[in-house]
Amino acid sequence: MIASASHPFLSVVYNRPTTHPRVRPQTSLGWLDRLLSTSNIVPLLHIDLALDTAHPHCLQRWPSLVSKITFSSLPLLSSASVVRHNPLSTPTPLRHLSLSLNMPVAQALPPLFRHLQQLPAALFPSDVSTADSGGSTRSYWRRKPVRDSARNPAVITLDWVPSLSSIPAAIQRYRARVGQATIFRRHRVRIPAPSRPDFGVIAPGFRRHRVRILAQSRLDSGRAIAFGFRPPASDHDRRQWSAATDRRVASGDEARSRMASMLSISVLLLLLLLLSWFTPISSHPLDPLTPAGIATVRRVILSSPLAASSASFAFHYVGLDEPDKAQVLSWLHRHPPRRALVLARADGETHELVVDVGLAALISDRVHRGAGFPILTLEEQAAAVSLPLSYPPFVESVRRRGVALADVVCSTFTKGWFGEAGRARRRLVVACFVAGETVNLYVRPIEGVTVLVDLDEMRIVEYRDRVAPPVPKAEGTDYRASTKNLPWSKPGAVLQPAGKGFQVDGHFIRWSNWEFHLSYDVRAGLIVSLASVHDAQKSTSRRVLYRGFVSELFVPYMDPVEEWYFRTFFDSGEYGFGLWASPLQPAADCPANAEYIDGYYAGQDGKPVKLPQVFCIFERNSGDVAWRHTEFGFPGQLIREVEPEVSLVVRMVAALGNYDYVTDWEFKASGSIKVVVSLTGILEVKGTNYTHADQIPAGLDPHGSLLAENTMAIYHDHFITYHLDLDIDGSNNTFVKSKLKPTRVTGGSVPRRSYWTVVREEAKTEADARVEMGSVPAELLVVNPNKKTKMGNAVGYRLISNSAPAASLLADDDYPETRAGYLKKQVWVTPYNKSEKWAAGLYVDNSRGDDTLEIWSQRAIENTDIVLWHTVGFHHIPYQEDFPVMPLLSGGFELRPSNFFESNPLMNSSATGQVYPNCTCIA
């Protein structure tokens, strides 16, 4: 490698292996120390990690690797910063850690090598011998014989170059030293234009040599001086190298005088370049905001004129303002700004604010003038539910029902929109329940009472006590294990003698042939991104899913009476699917072999709040079979092969009021992704005078099922809509419907009269891709028409529903249906747009259906970047087995490879248990 800059550099380069088992630097460092001391500058120490970029695992774990090197080298440093050295044109990027030395170079190298030895052995499967006490650089890498040379680094190279006066000359010098006269013939030298003081790259695709020329400016402060490359391979090259070295040393005195006058300017320009072009690499662009990031956002906004001039100010949503997909996929080349999106309420208005977290600056502030409001905060809901307890009319209603006020617990219910004209107010209904002898408060409603609260004024604006049926009994409703004696409730043991088979590196998860990014959002909850599967037959990782999450959860109840008609909840957009995520209980919510990840969100005051153990990750081996076959066809021989199924599961539980939603993302070694959502918890019931089903008059619609005395569980729906941004082997995809068409046999040559065949329909526009599942037998696929298998089939994945299809049955002119009209179809396809994340719109509370998946424009979706939206639905008719607590009711879907692989990936022994030794780095 030749490094060039406008001031001296010392580079330590970890290279891919050469054919030589040892590399010996040949030059003393004493002259370098003397030169640096006379020039009165502080050199920079550069560490290049030339990881195997054929595997994205290495690139995605760069932040944790930087952290390890930074902290291991701190005793040597006067300062440290992370910078990036990657041109936009580089197909194989590298990463650099820039460290300032505070001691002479010869003294710094031995302890630095000792610190580098402390790095994970799997990352650098070599060991370093340090320099001798005289300061000589007789340091070299010793390594054991490498079987797979493509995965093991072997070379450490030291360079010091005050400047680069001639790039062609530098190439010639490199050729002379390494003795590879032909290695540059197949690769073009990329040199940036003078107006772009970026970096050029030579031969970025090398396997034996990683070469780069850093051309930061056109300042010419001296001839190039280099050392530390391996000796030339031939006598001719050795003579060339010796002569070149003599010329460089002879010109040193002459160059030094010119260099001294330029150094101060050069160093200043370099610092300006670093500040202008480099962004510190502290996290992946899709990592959620950290507590420090949330605190920065809070500080920036509270110090802004908006907050200073507002009598009331509240944070309702603080989340990552994710970069555009193109920026994320190329972030190793140019790190995008890290920004946060904030939805806040100030003096009765909703503000959309964007904060640059890295710069700690407010980028924009826009007032939302349309319909709808952001998600409710926990703090304002807590304030609202306390109001009835001190409201005299409500206290009197409780007294008349013979209930102790101390036993009353209240909850919030969004009011929705039912055609009201004009600008809406932020109002919700508070409904109350009786606990008393049970914690199962939802099965003991104070029926007939409606309390309407204005959230901005935080006061009761309407109260009505219409009917007073009996409060249901508490007997037999407590579900706590301490009140039961269940012999089957003891947790089982999970044994993994070899340890866990997955690795968690920051927000990246790696298991078997899968790797993906996992993050938390206060509205979406669990977000899976950048899911790629390793194709052992092609020895590469291939993209499958760019981003997937719960976009909306709609739960409408089917009782039109005054106290119930408005109960049409958008649990994600109104309450926050992630905000109500429940901490997971080890050995109960997740097995004993699970690993947990915490989440963080911003409270109403903007301060970070920790959600401990919000996700769990575990391997599932439940006795299922991945594949099997028994063959009886060979006389006297029985052939039986069985492959047990082991999968990786990521789980989150959202406890939204009375219901708990268990959401699983299951990754299989076969290449499938199985998504399951399970409902459990407490039914929402209505107090009634009926104590037996026979008391309900014939012809009367009770709107529910009588489950216990005075307890009517209301019919309702659950619609969970997933946002699935599939990138099947690339971004440009096409949606295909493979319809099954019955066909008559003609000709009469055989007695068979019918069969079915497949008719493929490619969706051209969004309207072509709207599917009501079950109406026509068909398979639904997302394919990449630009990638084919060896057999000529377009690679793809298909959507397989694992539950009975359910669509909304509400009338088209009903107001809840206006707000959720997309639920008439279970599948929608739209072109990628990072702002189109929420099926019911960004502002859902009191929304009017003018920003939903249904009304987005008619756009082309053929062979472009598309997003698939799929709704898992349940029409829920309650039964007595659902009382007093409901067992899990599950549904979901599977994304299954369809001509994605050349054959069954489980047949390749290297398809599972992949080991990437250069990439293992657990921070």
Side-chain angles (χ1 to χ4, degrees):
M1 171 179 176
I2 289 184
S4 171
S6 54
H7 72 288
F9 274 76
L10 177 68
S11 295
V12 181
V13 182
Y14 293 88
N15 243 346
R16 300 183 68 131
T18 66
T19 56
H20 298 272
R22 292 185 178 182
V23 178
R24 294 177 180 271
Q26 302 295 310
T27 310
S28 171
L29 288 174
W31 64 271
L32 180 58
D33 285 333
R34 291 193 296 275
L35 180 59
L36 294 178
S37 62
T38 58
S39 61
N40 296 319
I41 67 164
V42 178
L44 292 179
L45 173 66
H46 276 229
I47 300 179
D48 280 3
L49 301 174
L51 301 180
D52 186 359
T53 53
H55 304 301
H57 313 81
C58 299
L59 306 183
Q60 294 161 343
R61 274 190 296 280
W62 164 253
S64 62
L65 182 60
V66 165
S67 175
K68 273 209 172 283
I69 295 178
T70 303
F71 287 110
S72 67
S73 305
L74 282 179
L76 307 176
L77 308 179
S78 58
S79 64
S81 62
V82 182
V83 299
R84 56 179 306 281
H85 287 353
N86 302 114
L88 294 175
S89 59
T90 309
T92 311
L94 297 180
R95 291 287 174 173
H96 294 237
L97 179 63
S98 179
L99 310 173
S100 262
L101 295 173
N102 59 6
M103 61 178 67
V105 176
Q107 297 177 24
L109 284 178
L112 174 63
F113 285 177
R114 286 194 297 271
H115 284 296
L116 292 177
Q117 283 181 293
Q118 299 172 7
L119 293 177
L123 182 63
F124 302 115
S126 314
D127 61 305
V128 179
S129 66
T130 59
D132 60 21
S133 58
S136 170
T137 59
R138 297 175 191 163
S139 307
Y140 57 87
W141 283 93
R142 294 197 308 269
R143 63 181 176 87
K144 299 176 181 178
V146 177
R147 295 182 180 178
D148 185 356
S149 62
R151 291 182 181 173
N152 292 275
V155 181
I156 179 170
T157 307
L158 306 180
D159 297 328
W160 180 79
V161 185
S163 70
L164 184 64
S165 57
S166 171
I167 289 177
I171 297 174
Q172 183 63 38
R173 286 195 295 273
Y174 182 84
R175 289 170 55 184
R177 284 174 295 170
V178 300
Q180 297 286 339
T182 61
I183 60 175
F184 292 98
R185 293 179 182 175
R186 299 186 302 275
H187 303 278
R188 176 175 297 180
V189 179
R190 300 182 183 272
I191 303 300
S195 61
R196 288 286 307 277
D198 209 331
F199 296 91
V201 172
I202 296 177
F206 275 5
R207 281 204 171 272
R208 291 188 176 181
H209 299 279
R210 181 83 65 186
V211 185
R212 180 170 49 244
I213 289 181
L214 307 181
Q216 290 183 345
S217 70
R218 292 185 176 272
L219 291 174
D220 186 4
S221 57
R223 293 180 181 275
I225 303 175
F227 66 91
F229 285 87
R230 67 179 175 83
S234 65
D235 291 338
H236 172 72
D237 288 337
R238 270 193 287 272
R239 286 193 296 272
Q240 278 192 320
W241 168 240
S242 178
T245 303
D246 292 341
R247 288 193 298 271
R248 284 191 293 275
V249 174
S251 64
D253 293 336
E254 177 186 353
R256 195 177 307 160
S257 60
R258 283 193 298 152
M259 182 175 63
S261 63
M262 298 290 293
L263 280 176
S264 59
I265 299 176
S266 301
V267 172
L268 178 60
L269 289 176
L270 176 65
L271 292 176
L272 291 175
L273 286 170
L274 294 177
L275 290 174
S276 302
W277 290 93
F278 302 144
T279 301
I281 302 175
S282 58
S283 59
H284 187 276
L286 295 181
D287 283 356
L289 296 178
T290 62
I294 295 173
T296 298
V297 172
R298 178 179 185 269
R299 183 175 66 254
V300 168
I301 292 182
L302 293 184
S303 62
S304 68
L306 170 65
S309 61
S310 300
S312 63
F313 189 91
F315 293 85
H316 285 255
Y317 174 87
V318 178
L320 178 69
D321 183 23
E322 66 181 78
D324 193 75
K325 182 188 291 190
Q327 291 180 296
V328 173
L329 296 179
S330 63
W331 79 282
L332 289 171
H333 302 274
R334 187 171 183 83
H335 200 66
R338 188 157 173 81
R339 294 177 174 174
L341 171 66
V342 178
L343 304 181
R345 294 280 296 171
D347 292 341
E349 290 186 320
T350 300
H351 289 255
E352 297 177 14
L353 304 108
V354 177
V355 175
D356 190 306
V357 181
L359 299 177
L362 181 61
I363 302 300
S364 65
D365 176 8
R366 188 182 77 88
V367 178
H368 171 63
R369 303 293 185 187
F373 303 106
I375 63 175
L376 304 171
T377 68
L378 296 180
E379 293 84 349
E380 65 183 352
Q381 292 182 73
V385 298
S386 66
L387 293 177
L389 302 181
S390 58
Y391 188 64
F394 178 79
V395 174
E396 175 60 22
S397 295
V398 170
R399 187 196 64 79
R400 286 194 296 107
R401 287 169 170 79
V403 173
L405 188 63
D407 292 338
V408 174
V409 180
C410 300
S411 184
T412 57
F413 294 76
T414 50
K415 185 68 166 61
W417 173 74
F418 289 88
E420 300 89 349
R423 189 173 178 82
R425 300 281 301 175
R426 291 186 70 234
R427 293 179 174 180
L428 55 74
V429 174
V430 174
C432 297
F433 309 85
V434 180
E437 312 92 77
T438 179
V439 297
N440 199 345
L441 59 100
Y442 288 105
V443 299
R444 305 189 69 203
I446 301 177
E447 197 63 47
V449 174
T450 303
V451 182
L452 187 64
V453 174
D454 187 300
L455 288 175
D456 289 330
E457 299 179 2
M458 199 51 68
R459 67 183 184 91
I460 296 174
V461 294
E462 185 178 320
Y463 181 82
R464 180 170 169 80
D465 187 352
R466 188 178 66 89
V467 293
V471 175
K473 298 177 182 179
E475 182 180 358
T477 64
D478 202 321
Y479 49 78
R480 289 175 293 179
S482 60
T483 65
K484 313 294 179 187
N485 184 20
L486 304 178
W488 57 82
S489 63
K490 307 298 186 292
V494 177
L495 299 178
Q496 289 185 296
K500 297 173 183 176
F502 63 91
Q503 293 179 341
V504 179
D505 184 3
H507 289 276
F508 277 94
I509 316 298
R510 188 184 66 177
W511 171 82
S512 183
N513 51 349
W514 280 102
E515 182 170 38
F516 55 92
H517 182 275
L518 183 63
S519 61
Y520 166 85
D521 179 78
V522 71
R523 177 166 175 176
L526 188 157
I527 300 179
V528 172
S529 305
L530 303 174
S532 61
V533 62
H534 185 77
D535 188 337
Q537 294 173 309
K538 296 186 176 181
S539 298
T540 186
S541 290
R542 303 168 66 188
R543 290 157 55 189
V544 176
L545 178 70
Y546 175 72
R547 208 144 165 84
F549 55 88
V550 172
S551 177
E552 192 53 78
L553 169 56
F554 181 51
V555 186
Y557 283 81
M558 302 300 151
D559 193 337
V561 300
E562 182 177 323
E563 295 82 16
W564 280 80
Y565 77 91
F566 56 84
R567 300 193 190 197
T568 54
F569 307 120
F570 292 84
D571 281 334
S572 178
E574 294 175 337
Y575 293 95
F577 197 68
L579 182 61
W580 289 90
S582 171
L584 299 172
Q585 182 178 343
D589 282 317
C590 311
N593 63 332
E595 190 164 331
Y596 297 85
I597 294 179
D598 300 331
Y600 295 89
Y601 69 91
Q604 182 173 292
D605 58 1
K607 294 181 179 179
V609 179
K610 180 179 179 179
L611 269 176
Q613 299 181 334
V614 67
F615 303 146
C616 74
I617 307 159
F618 60 91
E619 288 175 288
R620 172 181 285 163
N621 187 350
S622 57
D624 292 331
V625 173
W627 68 267
R628 80 176 315 279
H629 180 63
T630 304
E631 182 57 64
F632 298 99
F634 296 92
Q637 184 180 5
L638 175 65
I639 299 175
R640 181 178 59 223
E641 288 292 331
V642 183
E643 179 76 17
E645 171 132 293
V646 181
S647 60
L648 185 75
V649 178
V650 181
R651 174 170 294 167
M652 189 195 87
V653 176
L656 289 138
N658 55 305
Y659 266 108
D660 290 41
Y661 295 87
V662 182
T663 57
D664 285 355
W665 288 74
E666 182 177 3
F667 295 83
K668 300 187 177 185
S670 62
S672 289
I673 303 175
K674 187 176 180 181
V675 181
V676 178
V677 57
S678 303
L679 323 177
T680 183
I682 313 299
L683 295 172
E684 193 155 311
V685 304
K686 171 183 176 180
T688 179
N689 291 315
Y690 302 127
T691 59
H692 195 278
D694 292 344
Q695 297 173 352
I696 303 174
L700 177 68
D701 185 354
H703 309 296
S705 304
L706 190 67
L707 303 185
E709 292 183 3
N710 310 117
T711 306
M712 185 76 69
I714 303 301
Y715 307 140
H716 58 285
D717 294 323
H718 302 263
F719 295 111
I720 305 95
T721 301
Y722 284 85
H723 174 284
L724 302 169
D725 186 351
L726 293 167
D727 279 2
I728 306 301
D729 219 10
S731 296
N732 286 0
N733 292 169
T734 295
F735 181 70
V736 176
K737 291 181 281 189
S738 292
K739 293 185 176 180
L740 279 61
K741 180 183 177 182
T743 306
R744 297 287 297 181
V745 176
T746 59
S749 58
V750 295
R752 182 74 174 267
R753 296 183 178 181
S754 66
Y755 64 98
W756 60 261
T757 189
V758 176
V759 178
R760 287 170 50 91
E761 294 182 3
E762 294 187 357
K764 308 293 185 184
T765 67
E766 291 174 287
D768 298 335
R770 298 172 183 176
V771 178
E772 182 179 353
M773 300 185 77
S775 59
V776 175
E779 291 201 340
L780 309 177
L781 301 94
V782 174
V783 304
N784 187 331
N786 312 297
K787 301 286 184 69
K788 303 291 177 103
T789 65
K790 293 179 180 179
M791 297 296 101
N793 296 310
V795 302
Y797 266 69
R798 68 184 184 271
L799 174 70
I800 302 175
S801 176
N802 293 330
S803 54
S808 176
L809 301 178
L810 299 180
D812 291 342
D813 62 350
D814 196 359
Y815 294 106
E817 183 64 27
T818 300
R819 302 172 66 201
Y822 59 90
L823 294 174
K824 290 293 185 181
K825 309 287 185 182
Q826 293 94 348
V827 175
W828 299 68
V829 179
T830 62
Y832 167 79
N833 184 330
K834 78 166 190 173
S835 66
E836 295 177 355
K837 297 168 60 176
W838 314 113
L842 179 59
Y843 299 100
V844 182
D845 181 24
N846 209 259
S847 65
R848 303 186 180 186
D850 54 0
D851 179 29
T852 69
L853 177 59
E854 182 191 26
I855 61 97
W856 293 337
S857 62
Q858 304 293 317
R859 295 165 290 188
I861 58 171
E862 185 180 19
N863 197 13
T864 190
D865 194 354
I866 58 177
V867 177
L868 185 143
W869 308 73
H870 177 51
T871 296
V872 178
F874 302 85
H875 296 306
H876 195 171
I877 302 173
Y879 296 94
Q880 286 187 238
E881 291 80 3
D882 298 335
F883 185 85
V885 63
M886 174 184 164
L888 256 66
L889 176 63
S890 300
F893 59 92
E894 181 178 350
L895 298 172
R896 188 179 181 94
S898 304
N899 296 327
F900 187 82
F901 299 101
E902 295 294 340
S903 61
N904 183 351
L906 296 176
M907 293 294 97
N908 192 312
S909 61
S910 61
T912 59
Q914 290 292 324
V915 177
Y916 304 109
N918 292 3
C919 309
T920 303
C921 182
I922 306 301

